[in-house]
């Protein structure tokens, strides 16, 4: 296939994605009104899958991009939060399942963002994209720089640390950074993949090793006090949102034991299945 044909097919694919309408913003479709968690952190995900916007001094970082076309809610959510004029400089993807990566290419083409994920994560994203169809059809993002284990990236005034923590998939990427509120800084952590992969038995044991590593990382000073799960029901996100609304403080999202309870629950479930 010549280069011109490739460009033409890509243009047709992009036009087809652009023509897919955003799903109705309804509770039945899983829509959730976006909300502010900390001075520099916002929730822009839906009822089932988390997506976060981190506000840095040089622009926004989106963590996970939802499934396509639900990812079309993210720009609308940024507008609702008054963030529509800020550049989206980066998109971080925790792993290659469609509900986390499905909207990455759409947002990348819209904002010109740099997408960062693991090499294994992109390989899975390509597999998932090839299997996608209908209104859920998506393209894999263009990734020029892969996350490396224990690497760091500075985006404006915010440093992000990456850890490759496989087990849910081969390419799970956990993300570590600081959130801010009233002059205080709190360490936040996104675990890259939840639930051991028993379709690939070797990943189940790898998952347990990754969970053990995450517990050690989370305990390092300053310890993690903000558990940012990439699925909202795993960290009681909406219950904490409702508590924040009542008390008027982000303290509802601060819990020094949350990530340890979560990881131990993940370990317990994996061990029980292994037995």
């Amino acid at each position: 296939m010549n280069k011109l044909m490739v460009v033409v097919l890509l243009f047709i694919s992009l036009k087809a994605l652009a023509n897919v309408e955003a799903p109705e913003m309804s509770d039945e479709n899983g829509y959730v009104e976006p909300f502010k968690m900390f001075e520099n952190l916002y929730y822009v995900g839906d009822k089932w899958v988390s997506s976060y916007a981190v506000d840095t001094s040089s622009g926004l970082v989106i963590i996970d991009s939802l499934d396509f076309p639900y990812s079309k809610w993210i720009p609308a959510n940024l507008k609702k939060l008054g963030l529509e004029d800020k550049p989206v400089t980066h998109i971080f993807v925790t792993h290659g399942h469609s509900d986390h990566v499905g909207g990455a290419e759409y947002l990348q083409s819209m904002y010109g963002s740099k997408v960062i994920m693991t090499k294994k994560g992109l390989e899975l994203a390509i597999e998932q994209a090839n299997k996608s169809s209908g209104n859920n059809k998506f393209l894999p993002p263009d990734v020029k720089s892969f996350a490396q284990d224990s690497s760091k990236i500075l985006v404006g005034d915010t440093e992000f640390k990456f850890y490759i923590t496989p087990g849910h998939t081969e390419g799970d990427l956990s993300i570590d950074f600081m959130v801010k509120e009233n002059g205080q800084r709190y360490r936040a952590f996104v675990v890259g993949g939840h639930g051991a992969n028993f379709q690939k038995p070797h990943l189940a044991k790898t998952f347990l090793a990754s969970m053990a590593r995450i517990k050690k990382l989370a305990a390092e000073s300053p310890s993690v006090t903000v558990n940012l799960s990439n699925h909202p029901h795993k960290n009681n996100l909406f219950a904490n949102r409702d508590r924040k609304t009542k008390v008027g403080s982000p303290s509802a999202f601060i819990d020094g034991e949350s990530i340890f309870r979560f990881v131990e629950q993940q370990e317990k479930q994996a061990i029980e299945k292994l037995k």
Side-chain angles (χ1 to χ4, degrees):
M1 186 181 295
N2 61 44
K3 290 184 178 180
L4 178 60
M5 182 62 71
V6 171
V7 171
V8 170
L9 289 176
L10 179 59
F11 175 78
I12 292 171
S13 297
L14 289 173
K15 188 175 181 181
L17 294 185
N19 288 336
V20 175
E21 292 187 6
E24 180 186 355
M25 292 178 175
S26 65
D27 182 69
E28 292 78 12
N29 283 341
Y31 182 73
V32 171
E33 289 290 335
F35 55 92
K36 185 175 183 179
M37 297 176 66
F38 292 89
E39 287 178 8
N40 63 331
L41 181 68
Y42 300 81
Y43 187 78
V44 293
D46 61 29
K47 188 187 294 185
W48 301 290
V49 187
S50 300
S51 179
Y52 300 98
V54 186
D55 189 8
T56 80
S57 60
S58 63
L60 301 175
V61 173
I62 302 295
I63 300 177
D64 279 352
S65 60
L66 306 182
D67 221 333
F68 189 83
Y70 300 94
S71 48
K72 290 197 166 188
W73 289 341
I74 292 177
N77 284 342
L78 294 178
K79 186 174 183 179
K80 285 185 175 185
L81 293 165
L83 301 172
E84 69 273 20
D85 292 331
K86 291 180 176 285
V88 178
T89 62
H90 293 75
I91 299 166
F92 299 158
V93 178
T94 58
H95 63 275
H97 283 152
S98 64
D99 53 341
H100 300 273
V101 73
E105 192 279 335
Y106 165 75
L107 295 173
Q108 182 181 40
S109 65
M110 182 176 184
Y111 295 113
S113 314
K114 182 178 182 180
V115 175
I116 295 180
M117 58 193 304
T118 65
K119 187 175 182 180
K120 288 287 187 181
L122 180 60
E123 290 173 2
L124 178 57
I126 292 170
E127 289 179 18
Q128 297 255 305
N130 288 338
K131 294 176 182 177
S132 65
S133 61
N135 285 344
N136 299 116
K137 179 70 179 175
F138 71 95
L139 298 174
D142 179 22
V143 183
K144 291 185 169 62
S145 178
F146 294 108
Q148 304 298 322
D149 189 44
S150 299
S151 62
K152 301 176 183 179
I153 181 174
L154 186 65
V155 183
D157 58 354
T158 306
E159 181 181 74
F160 297 87
K161 300 177 184 178
F162 298 135
Y163 304 99
I164 300 178
T165 53
H168 179 64
T169 73
E170 297 274 7
D172 300 334
L173 181 66
S174 293
I175 304 166
D176 187 346
F177 64 101
M178 304 297 287
V179 295
K180 300 179 290 187
E181 190 72 24
N182 296 325
Q184 299 294 316
R185 285 160 52 88
Y186 305 93
R187 187 174 165 211
F189 200 97
V190 184
V191 176
H194 307 165
N197 187 332
F198 288 94
Q199 294 177 337
K200 297 181 179 180
H202 73 281
L203 280 182
K205 292 183 179 180
T206 304
F207 179 80
L208 288 171
S210 290
M211 292 301 106
R213 183 188 182 199
I214 288 169
K215 279 198 296 187
K216 289 182 179 180
L217 288 170
E220 292 176 357
S221 182
S223 62
V224 172
T225 56
V226 180
N227 177 21
L228 297 181
S229 167
N230 58 15
H231 287 280
H233 63 282
K234 296 289 184 71
N235 63 342
N236 300 313
L237 184 75
F238 301 133
N240 290 335
R241 171 203 60 191
D242 295 342
R243 285 203 301 129
K244 178 182 183 296
T245 301
K246 289 180 179 179
V247 301
S249 166
S251 61
F253 299 111
I254 301 169
D255 183 346
E257 298 301 320
S258 176
I259 194 164
F260 299 101
R261 289 195 302 267
F262 166 71
V263 172
E264 287 167 4
Q265 179 189 50
Q266 295 295 300
E267 289 176 321
K268 182 180 178 181
Q269 291 173 349
I271 290 170
E272 288 176 351
K273 288 185 177 180
L274 279 171
K275 289 180 180 179

